[in-house]
Amino acid sequence: MQVIDLKKESIKSKNTLTDAELCTEIKRLKKEKNAVILAHFYQEPIIQDIADFVGDSLKLSQQAASTDADIIVFAGVHFMAETAKIINPNKKVLLPDVNASCSLAESCPPDDFKKFIDAHPDHIVITYINCSAEIKALSDIVCTSSNAEKIINSVPKDQPIIFAPDKNLGKYMIEKTGRDLVLWDGTCIVHEAFAIDKILALHQRHPKAQFIAHPESSPEILKVASYIGSTSGLINYAKTNTSSEFIVATEAGILHQMQKEVPHKKLIPAPSKENNSCACSECGFMKMNTLEKLYLCLKNESPEIIVPKEIREKAILPIERMLNLSK
Ligand code: 13P
Ligand code: SF4
């Protein structure tokens, strides 16, 4: 793999290219190389706006499965680009910043997870897509926050299930499905940080607002939410619900697409525990990608995501099961 000095390249291009020029160059390179840009709702607005497709984890995987582009540039985090590579072993998959990880994926090291599975021998393993390729290779079915309930319900009622790595989504699924899931103890640093006291105080100041939350949030947050859903579920709810004000508990990047969908509605980011000066929550991993890094990765075709064949051949099976169950 070619390793480029991003810092050096970054300084060079900063001196020469404005955002508008970077956008022009990205569009030109995309056409020239038959590349597609897939972006998650948590990306910077300028990246969402230049992407060919913006979506939640499920929609982005489905898009990766159906694209005829030669290169996929994944403006998201590592596990998302890795999933796209597992689905498309013969395509080049690029991630603008190779260090864009995820606290949930990091919370589940493969050796420890293997021991956990071995300690629950009769269990089927359902893993949230926010995990590494190695973890997917140890799994039976993958799910996202938009299809977790459907995937769990597809498993016979008497079949015990391990659910990993997000314990908050897991607890919410226990409530929704009535199943006794064995949970891995992982969390998302962004969704764990929402502050219930601040949210309740904010709601008192905006009594007409609907409080909506992503299921990675902790149980005390979900308990007071009038709607719980994936990023696309939250956007759709803001669109279809008659309310004109929403307090939104998920990564703040979502507000860009949400506001585009409901330009006349007021969207208020839910406050987090540590963030006293700024009222919103941002995922530092998602925000590692910049327009400039997007341009550089397309130009240099690097950093490229590589998944070893033996991992890929195992990891594709639970992903395909999810895609088949989500048609
Ligand atoms: P969804 O977009 O699938 O809801 O996932 C949210 C998330 O945390 C992605 O990292
Ligand atoms: Fe991972 Fe949370 Fe960031 Fe999503 S928002 S990438 S779950 S750390």
Side-chain angles (χ1 to χ4, degrees), residues 194-253:
F194 289 119
I196 187 68
D197 51 340
K198 290 188 192 174
I199 289 171
L200 293 175
L202 184 65
H203 206 192
Q204 279 198 338
R205 295 200 297 278
H206 298 269
K208 287 189 183 143
Q210 293 257 328
F211 173 57
I212 59 176
H214 193 280
E216 287 172 17
S217 309
S218 50
E220 83 257 25
I221 302 288
L222 298 182
K223 212 168 125 191
V224 297
S226 40
Y227 175 78
I228 298 165
S230 68
T231 47
S232 54
L234 295 171
I235 292 173
N236 202 37
Y237 187 80
K239 248 166 88 179
T240 52
N241 188 273
T242 51
S243 204
S244 59
E245 251 181 283
F246 296 87
I247 298 172
V248 186
T250 193
E251 210 272 357

Side-chain angles (χ1 to χ4, degrees), residues 9-11 13-14 22 290-297:
E9 282 274 4
S10 168
I11 293 161
S13 59
K14 211 167 212 135
L22 284 171
T290 61
L291 189 67
E292 190 172 43
K293 287 179 193 169
L294 182 63
Y295 157 70
L296 288 173
C297 92

